[in-house]
Amino acid sequence: MKDIYETMLQKAKEISKNSYSPYSNFPVGACVLYESGKKYLGCNVENASFGLSLCAERNAISNAISAGEKTKIEAIAIYSPKQKMCMPCGACRQWLSEFADNENIEIILEGKNEKPYALKLKDIFPYGFKFDE
Ligand SMILES: [Zn+2]
């Protein structure tokens, strides 16, 4: 396992403390790594109108786009203090697919003994929507 994944998981853990999740009480943090070497963070932001809630993963990707990031995603770490192996939802899998060169990007989760556990996006999101002109 790459050392950087431990760092990313730690950053996801730290940013999860900023979560605004008064309805679910399910804080989540994400740290997304780009080919540029830069990392961007996000936490989940809920809303009284539940459907408007934003996941940590999409918040982290939005931060990257807003900061002018132009390279592709290499990996993303996702953490929740409420659940080990906190998987990205379907919407976030589609978002990851949008900003990845291929589906080999890795999803880093907190596995047993708080060690990073890596999955490939292609294994959990094999036939994502693509816009072909
Ligand atoms: Zn999500």
Side-chain angles (χ1 to χ4, degrees):
M1 185 62 58
K2 296 178 188 172
D3 283 347
I4 195 167
Y5 289 169
E6 296 243 17
T7 305
M8 289 172 65
L9 203 54
Q10 189 58 40
K11 287 187 178 294
K13 196 172 197 171
E14 285 165 19
I15 199 75
S16 75
K17 293 173 186 161
N18 294 347
S19 162
Y20 177 76
S21 48
Y23 305 105
S24 71
N25 196 27
F26 194 94
V28 182
C31 174
V32 62
L33 172 69
Y34 280 76
E35 289 172 351
S36 63
K38 291 184 184 163
K39 299 183 214 51
Y40 301 88
L41 305 176
C43 60
N44 56 333
V45 181
E46 294 184 343
N47 190 274
S49 177
F50 291 170
L52 297 179
S53 296
L54 179 62
C55 297
E57 300 92 314
R58 282 178 286 143
N59 199 0
I61 292 168
S62 296
N63 280 336
I65 297 297
S66 299
E69 182 60 59
K70 302 292 185 209
T71 67
K72 299 290 185 178
I73 293 174
E74 275 195 0
I76 186 168
I78 305 164
Y79 173 86
S80 174
K82 292 297 180 83
Q83 185 175 305
K84 298 268 185 204
M85 300 285 289
C86 183
M87 299 288 286
C89 76
C92 289
R93 293 176 199 201
Q94 179 67 41
W95 265 55
L96 287 164
S97 169
E98 178 82 20
F99 299 106
D101 225 359
N102 59 60
E103 275 72 27
N104 279 320
I105 70 167
E106 293 195 290
I107 315 292
I108 315 304
L109 308 172
E110 187 189 47
K112 289 179 182 168
N113 304 321
E114 300 183 357
K115 289 289 179 200
Y117 182 89
L119 296 165
K120 298 273 191 200
L121 180 62
K122 68 180 179 187
D123 292 331
I124 62 169
F125 195 65
Y127 298 104
F129 177 77
K130 298 280 187 202
F131 188 87
D132 290 326
E133 294 174 43

